[in-house]
């Protein structure tokens, strides 16, 4: 098998799985219980939380454990909207967000909130002037992802934060950093709120976090006993939190050399695919190398994906969460509907090997020829 869909999800690393298994086996107590089994679990919980906070250089009261990035995004946007609705009902998001952000916005619109969509330039970079213009007195939140999940566009969070705060110091800046963590350096001090998910960084599915600066207030989505965290209630899933902490530790190590490796693999693929007349590479100077998006001029992307699958090669349509739909990001950057309707995403990791790419490119060529010949026969 050649797995090239690391932006959809990653396999759980064995080290992470070991931590998960050990915590499950040896720490069965509820960390909220006051007896010794509970206390033992609480000690491990505290040390996992402490480690995550140290890794990201944040305070422990700034970490909200969630079931993943979708929940973190919901907590951020709905939580801030509810808390601040008397002050304002206007939010701004980019045109490069994950589908979860847009569906939250649709919901907020039904509740009387107003959403503006900030423009980007033809390289995908946020249009700073447009952002400035759109920020108003009643703008309570701006949400812009650190790295876009479809084309891999990376945004300068620090600059964006400066623009937002200059226009309106009360506007909260949220960033979905799910596709950035473990790929590029991210400072949580550049944002007020940040969402992430462990299953994108070789951790298990069902766990992630929302960073919330201590200066920001929000209304929780999930109310409960308040024993673990007032802002996200329920019994802490200790093995998942331990696994999250381990995954983060591994993910943040050697970022530069990991990125260099992925960059070389990306360049190899691009060099080859540039020779195909029927392929457009949806890449700009802001795309990170881990996410490589291409469009077919003639072949249907799902047909190609299933053809590759016959050789156990796995890539995806625009995102795993929005299969077979128009790629909103490709549309927002290249403004070409046909191009946006025919994308596939090849996503790489530092564990991807040169041999895998050689095999991938060979099979890609074969399948591309076959499908193009079929098209010609049909004509
Ligand atoms: N945001 C981004 C940028 C993503 O790529 C994803 C996963 N496709 C999500 C949010 C949703 O994450 P989760 O699966 O943890 O809910």
């Amino acid at each position: 098998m050649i797995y090239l869909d690391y932006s959809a999800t990653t396999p759980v690393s064995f080290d992470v799985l070991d931590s998960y298994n050990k915590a499950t086996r040896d720490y069965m107590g509820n960390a909220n219980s006051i007896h010794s089994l509970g206390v033992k679990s609480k000690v491990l919980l505290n040390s996992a939380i402490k480690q995550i906070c140290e890794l990201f250089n944040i305070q422990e009261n700034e970490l909200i454990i969630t079931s993943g990035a979708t929940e973190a995004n919901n907590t951020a946007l709905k939580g801030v909207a509810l808390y601040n609705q008397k002050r304002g009902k206007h939010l701004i998001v980019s045109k490069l967000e994950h589908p979860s952000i847009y569906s939250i916005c649709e919901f907020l619109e039904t509740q009387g909130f107003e959403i503006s969509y900030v423009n980007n330039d033809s390289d995908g970079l946020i249009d700073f002037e447009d952002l400035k213009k759109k920020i108003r007195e009643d703008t309570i939140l701006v949400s812009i992802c650190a790295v876009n999940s479809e084309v891999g566009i990376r945004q300068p969070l620090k600059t964006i934060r400066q623009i937002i705060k200059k226009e309106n110091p009360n506007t909260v800046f949220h960033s979905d950093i799910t596709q950035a963590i473990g790929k590029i350096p991210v400072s949580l001090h550049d944002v007020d709120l940040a969402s992430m998910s462990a299953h994108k960084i070789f951790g298990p599915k069902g766990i992630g976090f929302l960073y919330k600066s201590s200066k920001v207030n929000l209304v929780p989505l999930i109310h409960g006993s308040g024993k673990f965290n007032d802002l996200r209630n329920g019994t802490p899933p200790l093995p998942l939190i331990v696994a999250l902490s381990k995954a983060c530790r591994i993910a943040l190590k050697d970022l530069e050399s990991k990125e260099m490796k992925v960059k070389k693999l990306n360049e190899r693929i691009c060099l080859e695919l540039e020779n195909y007349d029927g392929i457009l590479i949806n890449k700009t100077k802001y795309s990170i190398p881990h996410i490589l998006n291409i469009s077919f001029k003639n072949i249907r992307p799902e047909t190609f994906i299933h053809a590759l699958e016959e050789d156990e090669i796995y890539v995806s349509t625009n995102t795993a969460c929005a299969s077979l739909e128009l790629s909103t990001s490709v549309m927002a950057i290249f403004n070409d509907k046909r191009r946006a309707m025919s994308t596939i995403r090849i996503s790489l990791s530092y564990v991807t090997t040169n041999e895998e790419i050689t095999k991938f490119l060979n099979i890609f060529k074969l399948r591309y020829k076959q499908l193009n010949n079929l098209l010609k026969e049909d004509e």
Side-chain angles (χ1 to χ4, degrees):
M1 160 172 107
I2 300 177
Y3 184 74
L4 297 175
D5 200 11
Y6 288 96
S7 286
T9 196
T10 56
V12 179
S13 101
F14 289 158
D15 283 346
V16 171
L17 200 56
D18 282 347
S19 304
Y20 177 90
N21 286 338
K22 192 170 177 345
T24 305
R25 214 176 36 231
D26 301 342
Y27 296 81
M28 59 80 65
N30 183 332
N32 291 338
S33 299
I34 57 164
H35 52 62
S36 58
L37 287 180
V39 171
K40 185 180 164 191
S41 292
K42 181 82 175 162
V43 169
L44 182 64
L45 177 68
N46 287 346
S47 93
I49 298 280
K50 186 165 179 263
Q51 185 179 58
I52 298 170
C53 293
E54 278 172 5
L55 284 167
F56 290 97
N57 194 17
I58 60 173
Q59 297 160 36
E60 288 176 28
N61 64 358
E62 295 180 319
L63 185 74
I64 304 173
I65 296 292
T66 64
S67 62
T70 301
E71 186 188 323
N73 286 341
N74 271 270
T75 308
L77 271 65
K78 290 183 196 165
V80 167
L82 286 181
Y83 191 91
N84 291 289
Q85 54 186 326
K86 291 209 178 83
R87 190 167 62 77
K89 290 193 124 182
H90 180 235
L91 292 85
I92 301 172
V93 301
S94 84
K95 295 177 179 171
L96 300 168
E97 298 303 312
H98 184 263
S100 60
I101 294 283
Y102 297 129
S103 64
I104 300 163
C105 289
E106 277 169 28
F107 167 74
L108 288 173
E109 278 176 331
T110 68
Q111 304 301 304
F113 290 87
E114 186 192 343
I115 314 292
S116 297
Y117 295 84
V118 61
N119 293 330
N120 48 266
D121 70 11
S122 56
D123 282 318
L125 182 71
I126 292 300
D127 179 340
F128 299 150
E129 284 309 312
D130 189 49
L131 178 61
K132 258 190 224 168
K133 261 195 283 172
K134 287 195 164 115
I135 296 173
R136 317 188 306 218
E137 182 70 28
D138 63 339
T139 306
I140 50 175
L141 179 135
V142 174
S143 182
I144 294 172
C145 57
V147 168
N148 155 267
S149 61
E150 296 181 42
V151 187
I153 303 293
R154 169 187 185 164
Q155 302 292 346
L157 298 183
K158 201 185 186 95
T159 308
I160 292 172
R161 180 195 168 85
Q162 280 164 357
I163 292 168
I164 296 169
K165 297 295 171 184
K166 194 164 168 220
E167 291 303 309
N168 185 346
N170 295 323
T171 303
V172 173
F173 180 29
H174 167 255
S175 184
D176 182 341
I177 59 169
T178 309
Q179 292 292 348
I181 292 291
K183 296 176 183 144
I184 58 164
V186 180
S187 166
L188 295 186
H189 297 284
D190 292 342
V191 298
D192 299 316
L193 295 165
S195 309
M196 71 77 74
S197 185
H199 75 90
K200 310 285 183 177
I201 56 165
F202 300 88
K205 292 162 185 63
I207 192 81
F209 70 72
L210 175 69
Y211 157 70
K212 183 192 77 65
S213 152
S214 54
K215 298 188 190 96
V216 171
N217 291 308
L218 49 78
V219 171
L221 287 189
I222 299 175
H223 294 87
S225 69
K227 278 188 184 155
F228 172 45
N229 188 336
D230 263 352
L231 296 174
R232 208 299 192 173
N233 282 278
T235 300
L238 181 60
L240 287 173
I241 297 172
V242 168
L244 167 70
S245 132
K246 184 80 170 203
C248 288
R249 184 144 65 90
I250 299 170
L252 298 188
K253 252 195 228 158
D254 307 324
L255 274 184
E256 213 171 304
S257 62
K258 286 176 185 164
E259 189 182 347
M260 276 314 291
K261 185 181 170 201
V262 176
K263 191 163 177 273
K264 283 189 187 138
L265 299 174
N266 177 301
E267 282 166 359
R268 263 194 75 198
I269 302 174
C270 286
L271 207 64
E272 173 82 15
L273 297 191
E274 272 160 17
N275 299 321
Y276 289 66
D277 281 345
I279 287 178
L280 295 164
I281 300 180
N282 302 320
K283 183 176 177 173
T284 85
K285 61 182 175 194
Y286 301 114
S287 300
I288 61 161
H290 310 70
I291 297 176
L292 179 56
N293 193 303
I294 62 171
S295 294
F296 292 102
K297 288 186 185 160
N298 299 311
I299 302 169
R300 285 168 66 88
E302 62 275 24
T303 309
F304 199 78
I305 285 171
H306 293 310
L308 288 179
E309 200 181 347
E310 284 178 33
D311 293 294
E312 290 190 46
I313 293 178
Y314 300 96
V315 299
S316 70
T317 48
N318 41 38
T319 77
C321 308
S323 320
L324 308 185
E325 286 170 13
L326 177 136
S327 159
T328 48
S329 315
V330 172
M331 192 62 196
I333 299 164
F334 298 98
N335 196 23
D336 176 342
K337 199 165 171 197
R338 255 191 95 172
R339 187 167 181 164
M341 291 292 289
S342 63
T343 63
I344 69 168
R345 182 185 66 181
I346 301 153
S347 50
L348 310 167
S349 155
Y350 67 94
V351 301
T352 307
T353 63
N354 253 315
E355 293 70 39
E356 285 179 313
I357 297 305
T358 305
K359 200 163 165 210
F360 165 69
L361 289 173
N362 288 338
I363 291 169
F364 190 101
K365 192 183 209 167
L366 206 79
R367 293 296 183 182
Y368 182 82
K369 263 193 191 159
Q370 278 172 355
L371 289 171
N372 254 330
N373 286 343
L374 278 178
L375 279 175
K376 278 186 199 136
E377 280 170 20
D378 281 351
E379 280 166 7

